[in-house]
């Protein structure tokens, strides 16, 4: 589980925008950048090259849920 205090200070390295914790996929989601950053061994990997691009369906689902 990601520490809520840590989540409150982390931002997307691309857009400097907010991130959403996706517990199901163990990722930090940036809707603005359309990227999902992995969390490995409880450590967020905040590198653009390590992030995966979200599909349009995923992004729409996130926007409707949050």
């Amino acid at each position: 589980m990601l520490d809520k205090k840590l989540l409150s200070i982390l931002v997307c390295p691309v857009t400097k925008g907010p991130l959403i914790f996706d517990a199901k996929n163990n990722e930090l989601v940036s809707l603005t950048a359309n990227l999902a950053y992995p969390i490995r061994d409880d450590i967020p990997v905040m590198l653009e090259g390590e992030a995966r691009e979200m599909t349009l369906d995923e992004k729409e689902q996130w926007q409707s849920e949050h």
Side-chain angles (χ1 to χ4, degrees):
M1 183 68 184
L2 191 64
D3 180 32
K4 289 183 182 194
K5 187 173 181 176
L6 177 62
L7 182 57
S8 72
I9 61 173
L10 288 176
V11 295
C12 174
V14 175
T15 66
K16 309 300 184 245
L19 296 166
I20 303 167
F21 177 55
D22 178 2
K24 183 176 117 185
N25 294 315
N26 206 34
E27 298 175 321
L28 293 175
V29 173
S30 171
L31 294 176
T32 307
N34 203 38
L35 295 172
Y37 298 93
I39 299 172
R40 297 187 188 123
D41 298 322
D42 295 327
I43 300 171
V45 181
M46 304 302 296
L47 301 170
E48 184 179 359
E50 292 289 321
R52 69 173 182 84
E53 194 167 334
M54 296 173 58
T55 66
L56 183 59
D57 288 341
E58 284 178 304
K59 187 173 181 177
E60 288 174 354
Q61 181 180 359
W62 267 105
Q63 289 173 325
S64 68
E65 291 177 1
H66 300 280

